Amino acid sequence: MNCRFCNTGLTHVFVNLNEAPPSNSFLSKEDLQNAETWYPLKLFVCENCFLVQVAEYKKAAEIFSNDYVYYSSYSTTWLAHAKRYAEMMIERFGYNSGSLVVEIASNDGYLLQYFNENKIPVLGIEPTLSTASVAREKGIESITEFFGVGLAKELASNNRKADLLLGNNVLAHVPDLNDFISGMKIILKPEGVITMEFPHLLQLVKHHQFDTIYQEHFSYLSFTTVQAVFKKHGLVLFDVEEISTHGGSLRIFAKHEDDISKDISGNVSKLLEKEKAAGMTGLNYYTGFQEKVETIKNDFLNFLKEQQVAGKKVVAYGAAAKGNTLLNFCGVKNDIISFVVDASPHKQGKYLPGSHIPVVNEQELLTSHPDFILVLPWNIKDEIMQQLSYVRDWNCRFVIAIPSLQIL
C-alpha cells in the first residue's frame, strides 16, 4: 500500500481497530438473515508527508450509495453552525446575487439554504441521490456526481466557476486527494476562496477519538499535511481557524497561488508551529495510540458488564457512524444494548451494522425507562442531554465513552 498523496510505501501502523462493516450501511430486518462484509480498519501514517490513512477496501461509490442514510439537517447544532458560517462568509467576502457558491458534498442542502435565503446563487455537488433529492426540494440545484477533475472541467467549460467553493467534512472522505484538489483549482475563479472543514488529527490523538475512524474516512488530517497537498496543486492556505465541531476541527481558507488580493494570516504560521511543537512532523507522535484505545475499550466493557450483572438497562442515543465504530471494536451486540434512539426517520426501523442493535424513535425511552443512555455522538452531547433532560425524572444517567468513560 502506498500513500494516497505522495505515493510513499506505508509501513508504520498508527492504530488497528480490527475489522468492521461500513458504518453507515444500516440493515433492514431482512438483511439480518444475510452475512455482512467486514473490512479492515487499520490506519497507517506516511513517514514522508505524515498523512494518516486507511486503504480503500470498500470503494467510495459503494459507500455513498443512493440510499445513504446520513442527513445533515437532523442536528440543530450542525444547522446553527452552518448558518453562522454563511453569515460570516457573506460579511467577510461580500458575496451577493452576482456570486456563485458551490458546495462539494452538499448533502440535503443543510448549508446552501442559508446562502439561498440571501439571494446568492448556489450549486450543490452531492453523489447520493437520497440526500440530493431533499436539497432539490428546498430549491437548491444539485448535481448527483462525485467531484474530481472530470466534473470540474465540465463545469468550467460551462462557465460555472465558484466565487466560494466549500466542503464540510468531505476532505477526509476522498480516496484520491490529488484528483479532488486538482478539480477544486479548476473551478475556482481567479480571486475565489476555498474553505474546507475537517476533524483535526491533533484533536483525534489528544482526545483518543478513535471512533471517528471508519470506512468513509480515508484520510486523517493535520494542517501541515493539508498545506503540502494544496501547495502541490497551486493553492495557498491563507487563513485557518480552529473550531469545536466534531470534537475539534479545522476550517481552512485557500486561494490560487497567484492571487495577491488576500494576505496570509498569522494564524497559518501559528498553527504550523503548534503542530510542530506537538511532534506531528515526526513518527514518534504516532506511536502509543493503540494502548490508549485499548484502555477505553476495557473501561467501556467493564461498565457494561457491571450494569448487566446489576440488572440495569443500558440503551444508546444517536445512530452515528462513530458509534458503530465504538460498538463493533468493543464487540457489543443487542443482548447488551437493547436499542438505539435516533431522530432521523431514515434510520428508524433499521439495525446498526455489525451489532444489529435496532434503531427506534424517542418514544421508546418513555416506554422502557432505561437506567443509562449511552450518547454515541459525543460531539453533540450537550444538545442531546438537553433534549432528553426529562429522563432524569426516573434517575436515568448519561454515559460518554470517549475520551474516557464518564457517567453524567
Side-chain angles (χ1 to χ4, degrees):
M1 176 181 169
N2 292 337
C3 175
R4 61 173 35 94
F5 167 49
C6 69
N7 208 37
T8 300
L10 299 176
T11 59
H12 296 273
V13 176
F14 172 58
V15 68
N16 186 358
L17 302 182
N18 303 321
E19 294 185 338
S23 283
N24 273 315
S25 294
F26 286 72
L27 307 172
S28 67
K29 190 172 184 180
E30 293 71 29
D31 291 332
L32 298 179
Q33 311 305 316
N34 303 319
E36 290 177 84
T37 302
W38 292 51
Y39 299 88
L41 270 183
K42 180 189 284 187
L43 296 192
F44 296 84
V45 58
C46 176
E47 63 184 89
N48 181 46
C49 69
F50 301 104
L51 177 66
V52 175
Q53 56 205 282
V54 67
E56 189 184 4
Y57 294 103
K58 186 172 174 65
K59 297 297 182 183
E62 298 175 55
I63 295 174
F64 301 102
S65 60
N66 286 336
D67 58 351
Y68 190 61
V69 297
Y70 177 73
Y71 291 74
S72 297
S73 293
Y74 284 101
S75 168
T76 56
T77 299
W78 189 238
L79 286 176
H81 172 75
K83 185 176 183 179
R84 286 193 301 270
Y85 165 84
E87 292 170 347
M88 179 270 292
M89 293 299 288
I90 293 169
E91 180 177 357
R92 179 171 178 178
F93 296 103
Y95 299 121
N96 54 44
S97 59
S99 308
L100 177 62
V101 176
V102 179
E103 181 178 12
I104 305 171
S106 49
N107 201 263
D108 59 5
Y110 75 101
L111 187 151
L112 289 181
Q113 63 184 336
Y114 298 115
F115 287 99
N116 215 19
E117 288 174 1
N118 284 277
K119 311 301 182 186
I120 299 170
V122 300
L123 173 64
I125 300 172
E126 172 53 56
T128 64
L129 180 60
S130 53
T131 55
S133 297
V134 174
R136 292 183 183 117
E137 291 171 3
K138 298 175 181 176
I140 295 168
E141 181 186 359
S142 301
I143 297 173
T144 313
E145 291 185 34
F146 284 95
F147 181 77
V149 168
L151 179 56
K153 287 181 176 178
E154 181 182 333
L155 290 170
S157 68
N158 291 318
N159 199 30
R160 304 207 74 183
K161 289 193 171 186
D163 295 277
L164 171 60
L165 178 60
L166 70 110
N168 286 347
N169 303 305
V170 62
L171 198 58
H173 292 70
V174 176
D176 190 340
L177 279 173
N178 291 314
D179 178 72
F180 185 83
I181 296 175
S182 291
M184 289 199 294
K185 181 170 178 60
I186 289 169
I187 66 164
L188 185 68
K189 287 183 179 178
E191 294 189 356
V193 173
I194 295 172
T195 71
M196 294 262 129
E197 295 180 17
F198 50 86
H200 192 187
L201 179 60
L202 178 72
Q203 300 302 328
L204 184 153
V205 174
K206 181 178 180 180
H207 298 291
H208 318 146
Q209 297 164 352
F210 73 89
D211 59 339
T212 61
I213 297 169
Y214 44 91
Q215 296 296 341
E216 291 178 23
H217 287 170
F218 297 109
S219 302
Y220 301 81
L221 303 162
S222 68
F223 185 63
T224 302
T225 297
V226 170
Q227 184 191 53
V229 178
F230 274 66
K231 182 179 180 180
K232 176 181 177 180
H233 297 284
L235 295 166
V236 173
L237 304 188
F238 68 89
D239 201 0
V240 60
E241 297 175 357
E242 295 181 85
I243 56 180
S244 62
T245 56
H246 296 285
S249 296
L250 297 181
R251 176 187 289 146
I252 61 169
F253 297 74
K255 64 175 183 174
H256 288 291
E257 60 185 354
D258 56 358
D259 176 6
I260 61 172
S261 66
K262 304 168 190 69
D263 294 331
I264 307 294
S265 167
N267 294 335
V268 172
S269 58
K270 287 179 182 177
L271 187 52
L272 289 171
E273 184 55 39
K274 180 177 181 178
E275 290 190 346
K276 183 178 180 181
M280 297 189 80
T281 54
L283 283 177
N284 286 341
Y285 179 82
Y286 303 92
T287 62
F289 192 65
Q290 186 76 42
E291 290 80 1
K292 296 170 184 176
V293 166
E294 297 291 347
T295 297
I296 292 172
K297 175 181 178 177
N298 292 334
D299 290 347
F300 178 53
L301 287 176
N302 286 337
F303 164 79
L304 292 177
K305 290 173 184 176
E306 288 172 5
Q307 305 318 316
Q308 197 171 34
V309 169
K312 302 294 185 180
K313 184 168 188 175
V314 181
V315 303
Y317 189 96
K322 56 168 49 74
N324 289 326
T325 294
L326 172 69
L327 296 172
N328 287 321
F329 177 62
C330 295
V332 175
K333 303 291 184 182
N334 55 19
D335 60 331
I336 299 177
I337 294 179
S338 52
F339 63 80
V340 56
V341 174
D342 198 274
S344 172
H346 303 283
K347 296 180 181 180
Q348 293 167 7
K350 294 183 180 292
Y351 296 80
L352 299 186
S355 66
H356 295 181
I357 297 171
V359 184
V360 301
N361 64 35
E362 192 175 322
Q363 182 61 36
E364 194 66 31
L365 293 176
L366 295 169
T367 302
S368 62
H369 281 204
D371 298 288
F372 296 94
I373 298 175
L374 171 66
V375 179
L376 294 172
W378 43 260
N379 53 302
I380 55 170
K381 67 179 185 298
D382 293 337
E383 172 189 335
I384 292 169
M385 290 170 61
Q386 182 177 4
Q387 175 188 331
L388 304 181
S389 60
Y390 60 84
V391 304
R392 302 285 192 189
D393 293 344
W394 63 81
N395 297 318
C396 179
R397 301 180 71 183
F398 296 98
V399 180
I400 309 293
I402 294 173
S404 60
L405 188 72
Q406 300 173 65
I407 301 174
L408 306 171

